[in-house]
Amino acid sequence: MSRLAARFDALRAAQRSGLVIFVTAGDPHPELTVELLHALVAAGADVLELGVPFSDPMADGPVIQRASERALAHGVDLRRVLDLVRAFRQTDTTTPVVLMGYLNPIEQMGVERFARTAAEVGVDGVLTVDLPFDEEPEHAAALRSAGLDSIFLLAPTSGPGRAQAVAAQASGFLYYVSVRGVTGAGQVDMADVRSQVEALKAYTDLPVGVGFGVRTPQAAAQIAAFADAVVVGSAVIEKLEAAAAAGINGPAALRGAVELVRTLRAGIDTAVGEGR
């Protein structure tokens, strides 16, 4: 059983919604990334989504774009990201790690080499933002051969037919985009998101995570009432960015982000305690 399947099975058995936290590898500094990942897990993250820095992150809002720029300035590329996962796995062998990024760096490394190396260092799943599920079948085949889960985004504009087709090809979990636009943008229409997630669950057994616009413990709690996981990224990265702007360096720069994750976890667990 994959780490993702095991984690979601455990969450389901405990009647809890999961918390997926996204950060960009190398931000605020590559020497802090592994420490940050461990701290996020200790604060309540169930799954870690690690962004691969890229110079043209088209699906990301300005917060994550700036995080990519900072990481690239530190020389963090796909190979360095894989090294960071390897280092994280030296002391954490159970928390699922998903890489989220774009196709270009993977193609530069070579899809088969990437998949093989990612599996070797302890990556569990891959979300390639700019690769539709029905294109580049060799990409999906390489991930599957290496034992990696293929995770796909589903947008509010995805019709039922396409959503079912994506669900049939995906593994690990489905990532439902709660707002139209880039990461961190817009207000979440909870009633609409809930109806869309419930429709998805009618034809797939995969867990459904909801993200893109979740910023507060209150919003996370609302989503936890109907989704299998809540995904938060931009709000966490904003805390890292604020620390840097204030001249806070070293481990102290991580405290705001870690505290936010604690409050998100508490909000989710309160919602679950009320009868999810």
Side-chain angles (χ1 to χ4, degrees):
M1 179 181 290
S2 73
R3 289 188 189 93
L4 279 167
R7 181 55 50 94
F8 278 109
D9 279 355
L11 288 165
R12 188 177 296 112
Q15 296 186 319
R16 299 172 72 221
S17 184
L19 176 58
V20 182
I21 296 296
F22 172 95
V23 291
T24 300
D27 179 53
H29 194 283
E31 292 182 0
L32 291 172
T33 294
V34 173
E35 182 175 352
L36 173 61
L37 296 180
H38 287 304
L40 295 173
V41 173
D46 296 294
V47 178
L48 297 171
E49 196 172 62
L50 195 56
V52 178
F54 185 54
S55 57
D56 185 24
M58 65 183 75
D60 295 312
V63 172
I64 296 179
Q65 286 182 16
R66 291 193 297 270
S68 276
E69 290 168 2
R70 291 190 293 269
L72 289 170
H74 289 302
V76 178
D77 58 9
L78 179 56
R79 289 173 178 80
R80 186 78 180 274
V81 174
L82 294 172
D83 287 341
L84 291 169
V85 176
R86 190 194 305 275
F88 173 75
R89 283 286 178 234
Q90 291 178 3
T91 50
D92 187 322
T93 60
T94 59
T95 302
V97 174
V98 174
L99 295 189
M100 182 173 179
Y102 294 82
L103 184 59
N104 183 269
I106 294 173
E107 287 188 324
Q108 288 186 2
M109 178 179 283
V111 174
E112 291 186 1
R113 180 184 176 194
F114 161 74
R116 183 173 61 253
T117 306
E120 288 172 355
V121 303
V123 171
D124 301 292
V126 178
L127 197 170
T128 309
V129 179
D130 54 345
L131 183 63
F133 82 100
D134 51 355
E135 296 183 17
E136 301 281 351
E138 64 273 15
H139 180 89
L143 297 183
R144 187 165 51 249
S145 178
L148 297 171
D149 285 315
S150 292
I151 298 161
F152 295 103
L153 296 170
L154 276 172
T157 53
S158 300
R162 184 169 183 84
Q164 290 184 49
V166 170
Q169 294 294 321
S171 58
F173 68 96
L174 287 171
Y175 188 153
Y176 183 78
V177 176
S178 57
V179 296
R180 291 171 172 81
V182 296
T183 54
Q187 297 294 317
V188 179
D189 182 336
M190 289 296 176
D192 180 64
V193 172
R194 182 170 193 146
S195 67
Q196 295 290 341
V197 169
E198 289 174 350
L200 278 174
K201 289 187 172 187
Y203 49 78
T204 182
D205 292 328
L206 284 174
V208 179
V210 175
F212 274 54
V214 185
R215 311 188 63 80
T216 66
Q218 294 75 23
Q222 288 180 281
I223 291 170
F226 58 84
D228 299 293
V230 182
V231 188
V232 183
S234 293
V236 175
I237 292 174
E238 281 179 345
K239 296 293 186 180
L240 299 173
E241 190 171 53
I248 302 172
N249 299 307
L254 311 181
R255 290 174 187 162
V258 172
E259 182 56 33
L260 173 61
V261 171
R262 287 197 186 97
T263 65
L264 292 166
R265 176 80 265 168
I268 290 171
D269 288 345
T270 298
V272 173
E274 293 172 353
R276 175 177 176 268

